[in-house]
Amino acid sequence: MPTAVLTDRERSAVQAYLRLLHTVRAAFDVPPGSPRPPVVPPAVLAEAEAALAQAGLTGNEERFFRLLRQAGAAH
């Protein structure tokens, strides 16, 4: 499959999504019995939503996840 070249906005959306994903994973990776932070801090979620909107990907999850797969294949 040919690798697509991401636009700056698409790349920003992918990076924001990955930061969001890492934040959620970290929230669940706490010792049992420890107080858990909010699963998704509002600022991290807002950044991801804004990046998706700027890239024109809001409501187009199929295209977004295709870009994610392509970005992952490039690394």
Side-chain angles (χ1 to χ4, degrees):
M1 172 196 292
T3 303
V5 176
L6 301 178
T7 66
D8 287 341
R9 289 183 174 176
E10 290 170 339
R11 187 175 301 103
S12 292
V14 168
Q15 290 170 340
Y17 171 79
L18 292 174
R19 280 191 292 278
L20 175 62
L21 181 63
H22 293 167
T23 299
V24 171
R25 283 183 177 163
F28 282 103
D29 191 23
V30 295
S34 297
R36 291 183 183 237
V39 174
V40 181
V44 176
L45 186 55
E47 177 196 20
E49 288 178 343
L52 287 170
Q54 289 175 349
L57 296 168
T58 301
N60 195 340
E61 290 81 7
E62 181 181 338
R63 181 170 167 234
F64 176 69
F65 284 109
R66 186 171 53 246
L67 289 172
L68 269 177
R69 285 190 298 275
Q70 291 171 348
H75 289 98

